[in-house]
PDB file of all heavy atoms in Angstrom:
ATOM      1  N   VAL A  38     191.843  70.500 222.630  1.00 92.00           N
ATOM      2  CA  VAL A  38     193.076  71.281 222.824  1.00 92.00           C
ATOM      3  C   VAL A  38     193.190  71.724 224.286  1.00 92.00           C
ATOM      4  O   VAL A  38     194.270  71.668 224.889  1.00 92.00           O
ATOM      5  CB  VAL A  38     193.110  72.500 221.880  1.00 92.00           C
ATOM      6  CG1 VAL A  38     194.317  73.385 222.185  1.00 92.00           C
ATOM      7  CG2 VAL A  38     193.131  72.050 220.424  1.00 92.00           C
ATOM      8  N   ALA A  39     192.073  72.154 224.865  1.00 94.00           N
ATOM      9  CA  ALA A  39     192.065  72.566 226.276  1.00 94.00           C
ATOM     10  C   ALA A  39     192.426  71.393 227.185  1.00 94.00           C
ATOM     11  O   ALA A  39     193.166  71.551 228.166  1.00 94.00           O
ATOM     12  CB  ALA A  39     190.695  73.126 226.645  1.00 94.00           C
ATOM     13  N   LEU A  40     191.909  70.203 226.833  1.00 94.00           N
ATOM     14  CA  LEU A  40     192.198  69.010 227.635  1.00 94.00           C
ATOM     15  C   LEU A  40     193.690  68.673 227.584  1.00 94.00           C
ATOM     16  O   LEU A  40     194.288  68.322 228.605  1.00 94.00           O
ATOM     17  CB  LEU A  40     191.369  67.830 227.130  1.00 94.00           C
ATOM     18  CG  LEU A  40     191.514  66.502 227.884  1.00 94.00           C
ATOM     19  CD1 LEU A  40     191.199  66.669 229.371  1.00 94.00           C
ATOM     20  CD2 LEU A  40     190.614  65.431 227.265  1.00 94.00           C
ATOM     21  N   VAL A  41     194.301  68.788 226.419  1.00 93.00           N
ATOM     22  CA  VAL A  41     195.736  68.554 226.294  1.00 93.00           C
ATOM     23  C   VAL A  41     196.518  69.574 227.131  1.00 93.00           C
ATOM     24  O   VAL A  41     197.483  69.237 227.815  1.00 93.00           O
ATOM     25  CB  VAL A  41     196.170  68.630 224.809  1.00 93.00           C
ATOM     26  CG1 VAL A  41     197.694  68.604 224.695  1.00 93.00           C
ATOM     27  CG2 VAL A  41     195.560  67.473 224.019  1.00 93.00           C
ATOM     28  N   ALA A  42     196.070  70.828 227.119  1.00 94.00           N
ATOM     29  CA  ALA A  42     196.752  71.888 227.874  1.00 94.00           C
ATOM     30  C   ALA A  42     196.696  71.648 229.377  1.00 94.00           C
ATOM     31  O   ALA A  42     197.608  72.069 230.115  1.00 94.00           O
ATOM     32  CB  ALA A  42     196.130  73.243 227.541  1.00 94.00           C
ATOM     33  N   VAL A  43     195.645  70.977 229.846  1.00 95.00           N
ATOM     34  CA  VAL A  43     195.527  70.668 231.282  1.00 95.00           C
ATOM     35  C   VAL A  43     196.766  69.924 231.771  1.00 95.00           C
ATOM     36  O   VAL A  43     197.254  70.154 232.883  1.00 95.00           O
ATOM     37  CB  VAL A  43     194.251  69.828 231.555  1.00 95.00           C
ATOM     38  CG1 VAL A  43     194.273  69.236 232.968  1.00 95.00           C
ATOM     39  CG2 VAL A  43     193.001  70.690 231.380  1.00 95.00           C
ATOM     40  N   PHE A  44     197.308  69.049 230.934  1.00 93.00           N
ATOM     41  CA  PHE A  44     198.466  68.240 231.325  1.00 93.00           C
ATOM     42  C   PHE A  44     199.690  69.103 231.609  1.00 93.00           C
ATOM     43  O   PHE A  44     200.462  68.816 232.522  1.00 93.00           O
ATOM     44  CB  PHE A  44     198.781  67.210 230.236  1.00 93.00           C
ATOM     45  CG  PHE A  44     197.828  66.048 230.213  1.00 93.00           C
ATOM     46  CD1 PHE A  44     196.576  66.169 229.622  1.00 93.00           C
ATOM     47  CD2 PHE A  44     198.164  64.836 230.792  1.00 93.00           C
ATOM     48  CE1 PHE A  44     195.689  65.101 229.598  1.00 93.00           C
ATOM     49  CE2 PHE A  44     197.283  63.762 230.780  1.00 93.00           C
ATOM     50  CZ  PHE A  44     196.037  63.904 230.181  1.00 93.00           C
ATOM     51  N   PHE A  45     199.891  70.164 230.811  1.00 93.00           N
ATOM     52  CA  PHE A  45     201.037  71.050 231.045  1.00 93.00           C
ATOM     53  C   PHE A  45     200.956  71.679 232.429  1.00 93.00           C
ATOM     54  O   PHE A  45     201.937  71.682 233.181  1.00 93.00           O
ATOM     55  CB  PHE A  45     201.077  72.144 229.974  1.00 93.00           C
ATOM     56  CG  PHE A  45     202.227  73.111 230.134  1.00 93.00           C
ATOM     57  CD1 PHE A  45     203.423  72.887 229.473  1.00 93.00           C
ATOM     58  CD2 PHE A  45     202.120  74.225 230.958  1.00 93.00           C
ATOM     59  CE1 PHE A  45     204.497  73.766 229.625  1.00 93.00           C
ATOM     60  CE2 PHE A  45     203.182  75.106 231.122  1.00 93.00           C
ATOM     61  CZ  PHE A  45     204.374  74.875 230.450  1.00 93.00           C
ATOM     62  N   PHE A  46     199.776  72.177 232.780  1.00 93.00           N
ATOM     63  CA  PHE A  46     199.655  72.939 234.023  1.00 93.00           C
ATOM     64  C   PHE A  46     199.497  72.071 235.273  1.00 93.00           C
ATOM     65  O   PHE A  46     199.686  72.559 236.383  1.00 93.00           O
ATOM     66  CB  PHE A  46     198.497  73.934 233.901  1.00 93.00           C
ATOM     67  CG  PHE A  46     198.766  75.024 232.902  1.00 93.00           C
ATOM     68  CD1 PHE A  46     198.160  75.011 231.653  1.00 93.00           C
ATOM     69  CD2 PHE A  46     199.659  76.044 233.175  1.00 93.00           C
ATOM     70  CE1 PHE A  46     198.417  75.992 230.709  1.00 93.00           C
ATOM     71  CE2 PHE A  46     199.940  77.034 232.246  1.00 93.00           C
ATOM     72  CZ  PHE A  46     199.317  77.009 231.004  1.00 93.00           C
ATOM     73  N   MET A  47     199.170  70.786 235.101  1.00 91.00           N
ATOM     74  CA  MET A  47     199.136  69.940 236.297  1.00 91.00           C
ATOM     75  C   MET A  47     200.465  69.219 236.504  1.00 91.00           C
ATOM     76  O   MET A  47     200.631  68.461 237.455  1.00 91.00           O
ATOM     77  CB  MET A  47     197.978  68.942 236.241  1.00 91.00           C
ATOM     78  CG  MET A  47     198.078  67.814 235.254  1.00 91.00           C
ATOM     79  SD  MET A  47     196.608  66.750 235.392  1.00 91.00           S
ATOM     80  CE  MET A  47     196.980  65.526 234.131  1.00 91.00           C
ATOM     81  N   SER A  48     201.437  69.495 235.628  1.00 87.00           N
ATOM     82  CA  SER A  48     202.713  68.775 235.659  1.00 87.00           C
ATOM     83  C   SER A  48     203.461  68.903 236.982  1.00 87.00           C
ATOM     84  O   SER A  48     204.074  67.946 237.448  1.00 87.00           O
ATOM     85  CB  SER A  48     203.600  69.258 234.510  1.00 87.00           C
ATOM     86  OG  SER A  48     203.873  70.643 234.638  1.00 87.00           O
ATOM     87  N   ILE A  49     203.432  70.080 237.589  1.00 87.00           N
ATOM     88  CA  ILE A  49     204.241  70.305 238.794  1.00 87.00           C
ATOM     89  C   ILE A  49     203.490  69.981 240.081  1.00 87.00           C
ATOM     90  O   ILE A  49     204.074  70.028 241.167  1.00 87.00           O
ATOM     91  CB  ILE A  49     204.716  71.772 238.877  1.00 87.00           C
ATOM     92  CG1 ILE A  49     203.514  72.722 239.050  1.00 87.00           C
ATOM     93  CG2 ILE A  49     205.553  72.145 237.682  1.00 87.00           C
ATOM     94  CD1 ILE A  49     203.865  74.065 239.622  1.00 87.00           C
ATOM     95  N   MET A  50     202.207  69.667 239.979  1.00 91.00           N
ATOM     96  CA  MET A  50     201.382  69.630 241.188  1.00 91.00           C
ATOM     97  C   MET A  50     201.767  68.528 242.153  1.00 91.00           C
ATOM     98  O   MET A  50     201.950  68.776 243.353  1.00 91.00           O
ATOM     99  CB  MET A  50     199.903  69.554 240.804  1.00 91.00           C
ATOM    100  CG  MET A  50     199.415  70.818 240.131  1.00 91.00           C
ATOM    101  SD  MET A  50     197.661  70.803 239.727  1.00 91.00           S
ATOM    102  CE  MET A  50     197.530  72.366 238.847  1.00 91.00           C
ATOM    103  N   PHE A  51     201.916  67.285 241.662  1.00 86.00           N
ATOM    104  CA  PHE A  51     202.236  66.196 242.589  1.00 86.00           C
ATOM    105  C   PHE A  51     203.563  66.431 243.313  1.00 86.00           C
ATOM    106  O   PHE A  51     203.610  66.391 244.550  1.00 86.00           O
ATOM    107  CB  PHE A  51     202.252  64.846 241.864  1.00 86.00           C
ATOM    108  CG  PHE A  51     202.566  63.694 242.771  1.00 86.00           C
ATOM    109  CD1 PHE A  51     201.554  63.024 243.438  1.00 86.00           C
ATOM    110  CD2 PHE A  51     203.881  63.292 243.004  1.00 86.00           C
ATOM    111  CE1 PHE A  51     201.847  61.970 244.302  1.00 86.00           C
ATOM    112  CE2 PHE A  51     204.176  62.245 243.856  1.00 86.00           C
ATOM    113  CZ  PHE A  51     203.155  61.582 244.509  1.00 86.00           C
ATOM    114  N   PRO A  52     204.680  66.657 242.590  1.00 84.00           N
ATOM    115  CA  PRO A  52     205.948  66.831 243.314  1.00 84.00           C
ATOM    116  C   PRO A  52     205.983  68.065 244.204  1.00 84.00           C
ATOM    117  O   PRO A  52     206.614  68.048 245.267  1.00 84.00           O
ATOM    118  CB  PRO A  52     206.992  66.928 242.197  1.00 84.00           C
ATOM    119  CG  PRO A  52     206.233  67.307 240.974  1.00 84.00           C
ATOM    120  CD  PRO A  52     204.878  66.703 241.135  1.00 84.00           C
ATOM    121  N   THR A  53     205.304  69.146 243.788  1.00 89.00           N
ATOM    122  CA  THR A  53     205.320  70.364 244.606  1.00 89.00           C
ATOM    123  C   THR A  53     204.520  70.168 245.888  1.00 89.00           C
ATOM    124  O   THR A  53     204.969  70.543 246.981  1.00 89.00           O
ATOM    125  CB  THR A  53     204.754  71.555 243.808  1.00 89.00           C
ATOM    126  OG1 THR A  53     205.513  71.712 242.599  1.00 89.00           O
ATOM    127  CG2 THR A  53     204.840  72.840 244.619  1.00 89.00           C
ATOM    128  N   ILE A  54     203.340  69.557 245.771  1.00 90.00           N
ATOM    129  CA  ILE A  54     202.537  69.261 246.967  1.00 90.00           C
ATOM    130  C   ILE A  54     203.297  68.312 247.883  1.00 90.00           C
ATOM    131  O   ILE A  54     203.337  68.490 249.108  1.00 90.00           O
ATOM    132  CB  ILE A  54     201.174  68.659 246.577  1.00 90.00           C
ATOM    133  CG1 ILE A  54     200.328  69.681 245.811  1.00 90.00           C
ATOM    134  CG2 ILE A  54     200.408  68.179 247.815  1.00 90.00           C
ATOM    135  CD1 ILE A  54     199.113  69.084 245.107  1.00 90.00           C
ATOM    136  N   PHE A  55     203.936  67.298 247.290  1.00 85.00           N
ATOM    137  CA  PHE A  55     204.684  66.314 248.086  1.00 85.00           C
ATOM    138  C   PHE A  55     205.841  66.982 248.823  1.00 85.00           C
ATOM    139  O   PHE A  55     206.016  66.774 250.031  1.00 85.00           O
ATOM    140  CB  PHE A  55     205.209  65.200 247.173  1.00 85.00           C
ATOM    141  CG  PHE A  55     205.698  63.991 247.919  1.00 85.00           C
ATOM    142  CD1 PHE A  55     204.899  62.883 248.067  1.00 85.00           C
ATOM    143  CD2 PHE A  55     206.970  63.974 248.486  1.00 85.00           C
ATOM    144  CE1 PHE A  55     205.340  61.768 248.766  1.00 85.00           C
ATOM    145  CE2 PHE A  55     207.424  62.870 249.182  1.00 85.00           C
ATOM    146  CZ  PHE A  55     206.607  61.763 249.327  1.00 85.00           C
ATOM    147  N   ALA A  56     206.631  67.784 248.102  1.00 81.00           N
ATOM    148  CA  ALA A  56     207.786  68.444 248.718  1.00 81.00           C
ATOM    149  C   ALA A  56     207.354  69.425 249.800  1.00 81.00           C
ATOM    150  O   ALA A  56     207.988  69.522 250.859  1.00 81.00           O
ATOM    151  CB  ALA A  56     208.611  69.155 247.647  1.00 81.00           C
ATOM    152  N   MET A  57     206.253  70.157 249.561  1.00 84.00           N
ATOM    153  CA  MET A  57     205.727  71.067 250.584  1.00 84.00           C
ATOM    154  C   MET A  57     205.273  70.286 251.805  1.00 84.00           C
ATOM    155  O   MET A  57     205.451  70.721 252.946  1.00 84.00           O
ATOM    156  CB  MET A  57     204.562  71.875 250.006  1.00 84.00           C
ATOM    157  CG  MET A  57     204.975  72.952 249.003  1.00 84.00           C
ATOM    158  SD  MET A  57     203.557  73.674 248.121  1.00 84.00           S
ATOM    159  CE  MET A  57     202.648  74.449 249.495  1.00 84.00           C
ATOM    160  N   GLY A  58     204.685  69.111 251.579  1.00 82.00           N
ATOM    161  CA  GLY A  58     204.156  68.311 252.678  1.00 82.00           C
ATOM    162  C   GLY A  58     205.221  67.705 253.572  1.00 82.00           C
ATOM    163  O   GLY A  58     205.047  67.625 254.786  1.00 82.00           O
ATOM    164  N   VAL A  59     206.340  67.244 252.977  1.00 76.00           N
ATOM    165  CA  VAL A  59     207.366  66.566 253.782  1.00 76.00           C
ATOM    166  C   VAL A  59     208.485  67.502 254.237  1.00 76.00           C
ATOM    167  O   VAL A  59     209.343  67.107 255.032  1.00 76.00           O
ATOM    168  CB  VAL A  59     207.999  65.372 253.015  1.00 76.00           C
ATOM    169  CG1 VAL A  59     206.955  64.345 252.661  1.00 76.00           C
ATOM    170  CG2 VAL A  59     208.757  65.838 251.777  1.00 76.00           C
ATOM    171  N   LYS A  60     208.461  68.739 253.754  1.00 74.00           N
ATOM    172  CA  LYS A  60     209.535  69.678 254.096  1.00 74.00           C
ATOM    173  C   LYS A  60     209.583  69.931 255.602  1.00 74.00           C
ATOM    174  O   LYS A  60     208.560  70.150 256.240  1.00 74.00           O
ATOM    175  CB  LYS A  60     209.314  71.001 253.350  1.00 74.00           C
ATOM    176  CG  LYS A  60     210.536  71.892 253.306  1.00 74.00           C
ATOM    177  CD  LYS A  60     210.307  73.053 252.365  1.00 74.00           C
ATOM    178  CE  LYS A  60     211.556  73.895 252.197  1.00 74.00           C
ATOM    179  NZ  LYS A  60     211.344  75.002 251.241  1.00 74.00           N
ATOM    180  N   ASN A  61     210.772  69.850 256.149  1.00 68.00           N
ATOM    181  CA  ASN A  61     211.012  70.119 257.575  1.00 68.00           C
ATOM    182  C   ASN A  61     210.324  69.115 258.506  1.00 68.00           C
ATOM    183  O   ASN A  61     210.127  69.406 259.686  1.00 68.00           O
ATOM    184  CB  ASN A  61     210.580  71.539 257.950  1.00 68.00           C
ATOM    185  CG  ASN A  61     211.321  72.598 257.159  1.00 68.00           C
ATOM    186  OD1 ASN A  61     212.518  72.476 256.908  1.00 68.00           O
ATOM    187  ND2 ASN A  61     210.607  73.642 256.732  1.00 68.00           N
ATOM    188  N   LEU A  62     209.986  67.928 257.997  1.00 68.00           N
ATOM    189  CA  LEU A  62     209.401  66.915 258.880  1.00 68.00           C
ATOM    190  C   LEU A  62     210.473  66.172 259.675  1.00 68.00           C
ATOM    191  O   LEU A  62     210.164  65.521 260.673  1.00 68.00           O
ATOM    192  CB  LEU A  62     208.584  65.901 258.069  1.00 68.00           C
ATOM    193  CG  LEU A  62     207.250  66.374 257.496  1.00 68.00           C
ATOM    194  CD1 LEU A  62     206.524  65.203 256.836  1.00 68.00           C
ATOM    195  CD2 LEU A  62     206.363  66.995 258.576  1.00 68.00           C
ATOM    196  N   GLY A  63     211.732  66.249 259.204  1.00 67.00           N
ATOM    197  CA  GLY A  63     212.822  65.613 259.945  1.00 67.00           C
ATOM    198  C   GLY A  63     212.617  64.121 260.118  1.00 67.00           C
ATOM    199  O   GLY A  63     212.477  63.391 259.138  1.00 67.00           O
ATOM    200  N   PRO A  64     212.549  63.639 261.376  1.00 69.00           N
ATOM    201  CA  PRO A  64     212.427  62.198 261.631  1.00 69.00           C
ATOM    202  C   PRO A  64     211.089  61.630 261.172  1.00 69.00           C
ATOM    203  O   PRO A  64     210.925  60.429 261.059  1.00 69.00           O
ATOM    204  CB  PRO A  64     212.550  62.098 263.152  1.00 69.00           C
ATOM    205  CG  PRO A  64     212.042  63.416 263.639  1.00 69.00           C
ATOM    206  CD  PRO A  64     212.514  64.410 262.629  1.00 69.00           C
ATOM    207  N   HIS A  65     210.118  62.514 260.925  1.00 71.00           N
ATOM    208  CA  HIS A  65     208.798  62.056 260.495  1.00 71.00           C
ATOM    209  C   HIS A  65     208.706  61.923 258.974  1.00 71.00           C
ATOM    210  O   HIS A  65     207.631  61.617 258.446  1.00 71.00           O
ATOM    211  CB  HIS A  65     207.724  63.050 260.955  1.00 71.00           C
ATOM    212  CG  HIS A  65     207.748  63.336 262.428  1.00 71.00           C
ATOM    213  ND1 HIS A  65     207.603  62.361 263.382  1.00 71.00           N
ATOM    214  CD2 HIS A  65     207.892  64.515 263.110  1.00 71.00           C
ATOM    215  CE1 HIS A  65     207.665  62.914 264.587  1.00 71.00           C
ATOM    216  NE2 HIS A  65     207.839  64.221 264.450  1.00 71.00           N
ATOM    217  N   THR A  66     209.832  62.145 258.267  1.00 71.00           N
ATOM    218  CA  THR A  66     209.787  62.208 256.802  1.00 71.00           C
ATOM    219  C   THR A  66     209.264  60.921 256.181  1.00 71.00           C
ATOM    220  O   THR A  66     208.386  60.954 255.315  1.00 71.00           O
ATOM    221  CB  THR A  66     211.185  62.523 256.226  1.00 71.00           C
ATOM    222  OG1 THR A  66     211.620  63.798 256.726  1.00 71.00           O
ATOM    223  CG2 THR A  66     211.144  62.581 254.706  1.00 71.00           C
ATOM    224  N   LYS A  67     209.773  59.762 256.626  1.00 70.00           N
ATOM    225  CA  LYS A  67     209.338  58.494 256.015  1.00 70.00           C
ATOM    226  C   LYS A  67     207.863  58.225 256.285  1.00 70.00           C
ATOM    227  O   LYS A  67     207.113  57.815 255.402  1.00 70.00           O
ATOM    228  CB  LYS A  67     210.189  57.333 256.535  1.00 70.00           C
ATOM    229  CG  LYS A  67     211.660  57.390 256.135  1.00 70.00           C
ATOM    230  CD  LYS A  67     212.356  56.090 256.488  1.00 70.00           C
ATOM    231  CE  LYS A  67     213.853  56.184 256.240  1.00 70.00           C
ATOM    232  NZ  LYS A  67     214.559  56.959 257.271  1.00 70.00           N
ATOM    233  N   ARG A  68     207.429  58.461 257.543  1.00 75.00           N
ATOM    234  CA  ARG A  68     206.021  58.212 257.869  1.00 75.00           C
ATOM    235  C   ARG A  68     205.133  59.228 257.167  1.00 75.00           C
ATOM    236  O   ARG A  68     204.052  58.897 256.674  1.00 75.00           O
ATOM    237  CB  ARG A  68     205.815  58.260 259.386  1.00 75.00           C
ATOM    238  CG  ARG A  68     204.577  57.503 259.853  1.00 75.00           C
ATOM    239  CD  ARG A  68     204.759  57.012 261.284  1.00 75.00           C
ATOM    240  NE  ARG A  68     205.053  58.114 262.189  1.00 75.00           N
ATOM    241  CZ  ARG A  68     204.117  58.785 262.864  1.00 75.00           C
ATOM    242  NH1 ARG A  68     202.842  58.470 262.731  1.00 75.00           N
ATOM    243  NH2 ARG A  68     204.461  59.756 263.673  1.00 75.00           N
ATOM    244  N   GLY A  69     205.591  60.478 257.103  1.00 79.00           N
ATOM    245  CA  GLY A  69     204.836  61.497 256.385  1.00 79.00           C
ATOM    246  C   GLY A  69     204.709  61.146 254.912  1.00 79.00           C
ATOM    247  O   GLY A  69     203.650  61.313 254.302  1.00 79.00           O
ATOM    248  N   SER A  70     205.797  60.631 254.342  1.00 78.00           N
ATOM    249  CA  SER A  70     205.772  60.191 252.953  1.00 78.00           C
ATOM    250  C   SER A  70     204.745  59.085 252.748  1.00 78.00           C
ATOM    251  O   SER A  70     204.018  59.067 251.748  1.00 78.00           O
ATOM    252  CB  SER A  70     207.165  59.684 252.554  1.00 78.00           C
ATOM    253  OG  SER A  70     207.135  59.057 251.303  1.00 78.00           O
ATOM    254  N   SER A  71     204.658  58.173 253.709  1.00 80.00           N
ATOM    255  CA  SER A  71     203.690  57.078 253.609  1.00 80.00           C
ATOM    256  C   SER A  71     202.263  57.610 253.511  1.00 80.00           C
ATOM    257  O   SER A  71     201.467  57.148 252.688  1.00 80.00           O
ATOM    258  CB  SER A  71     203.808  56.149 254.820  1.00 80.00           C
ATOM    259  OG  SER A  71     205.055  55.495 254.836  1.00 80.00           O
ATOM    260  N   PHE A  72     201.934  58.585 254.338  1.00 85.00           N
ATOM    261  CA  PHE A  72     200.571  59.134 254.311  1.00 85.00           C
ATOM    262  C   PHE A  72     200.305  59.914 253.029  1.00 85.00           C
ATOM    263  O   PHE A  72     199.188  59.885 252.497  1.00 85.00           O
ATOM    264  CB  PHE A  72     200.333  60.010 255.539  1.00 85.00           C
ATOM    265  CG  PHE A  72     200.096  59.226 256.801  1.00 85.00           C
ATOM    266  CD1 PHE A  72     201.056  59.181 257.811  1.00 85.00           C
ATOM    267  CD2 PHE A  72     198.913  58.521 256.982  1.00 85.00           C
ATOM    268  CE1 PHE A  72     200.843  58.451 258.965  1.00 85.00           C
ATOM    269  CE2 PHE A  72     198.690  57.778 258.141  1.00 85.00           C
ATOM    270  CZ  PHE A  72     199.658  57.750 259.136  1.00 85.00           C
ATOM    271  N   LEU A  73     201.317  60.604 252.516  1.00 86.00           N
ATOM    272  CA  LEU A  73     201.144  61.326 251.259  1.00 86.00           C
ATOM    273  C   LEU A  73     200.955  60.357 250.093  1.00 86.00           C
ATOM    274  O   LEU A  73     200.202  60.638 249.159  1.00 86.00           O
ATOM    275  CB  LEU A  73     202.345  62.242 250.999  1.00 86.00           C
ATOM    276  CG  LEU A  73     202.320  63.556 251.795  1.00 86.00           C
ATOM    277  CD1 LEU A  73     203.706  64.170 251.870  1.00 86.00           C
ATOM    278  CD2 LEU A  73     201.338  64.545 251.174  1.00 86.00           C
ATOM    279  N   ILE A  74     201.618  59.209 250.156  1.00 81.00           N
ATOM    280  CA  ILE A  74     201.416  58.181 249.120  1.00 81.00           C
ATOM    281  C   ILE A  74     200.048  57.527 249.300  1.00 81.00           C
ATOM    282  O   ILE A  74     199.366  57.206 248.324  1.00 81.00           O
ATOM    283  CB  ILE A  74     202.539  57.133 249.167  1.00 81.00           C
ATOM    284  CG1 ILE A  74     203.886  57.786 248.807  1.00 81.00           C
ATOM    285  CG2 ILE A  74     202.242  55.976 248.216  1.00 81.00           C
ATOM    286  CD1 ILE A  74     203.927  58.425 247.435  1.00 81.00           C
ATOM    287  N   MET A  75     199.609  57.337 250.546  1.00 84.00           N
ATOM    288  CA  MET A  75     198.263  56.791 250.785  1.00 84.00           C
ATOM    289  C   MET A  75     197.188  57.691 250.184  1.00 84.00           C
ATOM    290  O   MET A  75     196.139  57.219 249.731  1.00 84.00           O
ATOM    291  CB  MET A  75     198.020  56.626 252.285  1.00 84.00           C
ATOM    292  CG  MET A  75     198.768  55.474 252.920  1.00 84.00           C
ATOM    293  SD  MET A  75     198.482  55.368 254.708  1.00 84.00           S
ATOM    294  CE  MET A  75     196.793  54.763 254.725  1.00 84.00           C
ATOM    295  N   ALA A  76     197.469  58.996 250.170  1.00 87.00           N
ATOM    296  CA  ALA A  76     196.504  59.949 249.618  1.00 87.00           C
ATOM    297  C   ALA A  76     196.265  59.722 248.128  1.00 87.00           C
ATOM    298  O   ALA A  76     195.268  60.197 247.570  1.00 87.00           O
ATOM    299  CB  ALA A  76     196.983  61.381 249.862  1.00 87.00           C
ATOM    300  N   ILE A  77     197.152  58.976 247.482  1.00 84.00           N
ATOM    301  CA  ILE A  77     196.982  58.642 246.073  1.00 84.00           C
ATOM    302  C   ILE A  77     195.717  57.818 245.843  1.00 84.00           C
ATOM    303  O   ILE A  77     195.245  57.692 244.712  1.00 84.00           O
ATOM    304  CB  ILE A  77     198.253  57.918 245.556  1.00 84.00           C
ATOM    305  CG1 ILE A  77     199.414  58.919 245.472  1.00 84.00           C
ATOM    306  CG2 ILE A  77     198.052  57.261 244.206  1.00 84.00           C
ATOM    307  CD1 ILE A  77     200.742  58.303 245.060  1.00 84.00           C
ATOM    308  N   VAL A  78     195.135  57.299 246.927  1.00 84.00           N
ATOM    309  CA  VAL A  78     193.894  56.530 246.808  1.00 84.00           C
ATOM    310  C   VAL A  78     192.791  57.354 246.140  1.00 84.00           C
ATOM    311  O   VAL A  78     191.818  56.799 245.612  1.00 84.00           O
ATOM    312  CB  VAL A  78     193.438  56.012 248.198  1.00 84.00           C
ATOM    313  CG1 VAL A  78     192.841  57.137 249.040  1.00 84.00           C
ATOM    314  CG2 VAL A  78     192.429  54.879 248.044  1.00 84.00           C
ATOM    315  N   GLY A  79     192.934  58.676 246.143  1.00 87.00           N
ATOM    316  CA  GLY A  79     191.976  59.515 245.412  1.00 87.00           C
ATOM    317  C   GLY A  79     191.880  59.099 243.953  1.00 87.00           C
ATOM    318  O   GLY A  79     190.807  59.153 243.335  1.00 87.00           O
ATOM    319  N   GLY A  80     193.014  58.646 243.395  1.00 84.00           N
ATOM    320  CA  GLY A  80     193.030  58.180 242.013  1.00 84.00           C
ATOM    321  C   GLY A  80     192.276  56.884 241.820  1.00 84.00           C
ATOM    322  O   GLY A  80     191.866  56.561 240.697  1.00 84.00           O
ATOM    323  N   ALA A  81     192.077  56.119 242.904  1.00 81.00           N
ATOM    324  CA  ALA A  81     191.308  54.877 242.803  1.00 81.00           C
ATOM    325  C   ALA A  81     189.812  55.146 242.729  1.00 81.00           C
ATOM    326  O   ALA A  81     189.048  54.361 242.164  1.00 81.00           O
ATOM    327  CB  ALA A  81     191.612  53.981 244.014  1.00 81.00           C
ATOM    328  N   LEU A  82     189.372  56.253 243.299  1.00 85.00           N
ATOM    329  CA  LEU A  82     187.943  56.550 243.395  1.00 85.00           C
ATOM    330  C   LEU A  82     187.416  57.354 242.211  1.00 85.00           C
ATOM    331  O   LEU A  82     186.326  57.088 241.701  1.00 85.00           O
ATOM    332  CB  LEU A  82     187.669  57.307 244.699  1.00 85.00           C
ATOM    333  CG  LEU A  82     188.130  56.618 245.991  1.00 85.00           C
ATOM    334  CD1 LEU A  82     187.885  57.534 247.188  1.00 85.00           C
ATOM    335  CD2 LEU A  82     187.407  55.296 246.184  1.00 85.00           C
ATOM    336  N   MET A  83     188.191  58.329 241.765  1.00 88.00           N
ATOM    337  CA  MET A  83     187.710  59.269 240.749  1.00 88.00           C
ATOM    338  C   MET A  83     187.269  58.625 239.434  1.00 88.00           C
ATOM    339  O   MET A  83     186.177  58.932 238.925  1.00 88.00           O
ATOM    340  CB  MET A  83     188.766  60.335 240.489  1.00 88.00           C
ATOM    341  CG  MET A  83     188.365  61.354 239.431  1.00 88.00           C
ATOM    342  SD  MET A  83     186.927  62.350 239.906  1.00 88.00           S
ATOM    343  CE  MET A  83     187.723  63.621 240.896  1.00 88.00           C
TER     344      MET A  83
END
């Protein structure tokens, strides 16, 4: 039950971290987005 509940509370984490990361980057938004997507490599290792 606790494991199922983890999914509810991690629901907002990816988009919130992403939006915080690219906010106010202006012309750097696309390149910043690329690096934030590259960070997904953490999912390849875990």
Side-chain angles (χ1 to χ4, degrees):
V38 174
L40 182 56
V41 171
V43 167
F44 285 79
F45 180 93
F46 292 104
M47 71 179 180
S48 61
I49 65 159
M50 293 183 185
F51 180 89
T53 303
I54 295 166
F55 194 99
M57 287 169 63
V59 300
K60 196 170 185 178
N61 300 321
L62 288 185
H65 306 302
T66 299
K67 295 190 186 76
R68 203 153 57 92
S70 171
S71 295
F72 284 109
L73 281 160
I74 295 301
M75 287 178 73
I77 289 176
V78 75
L82 304 176
M83 179 64 84

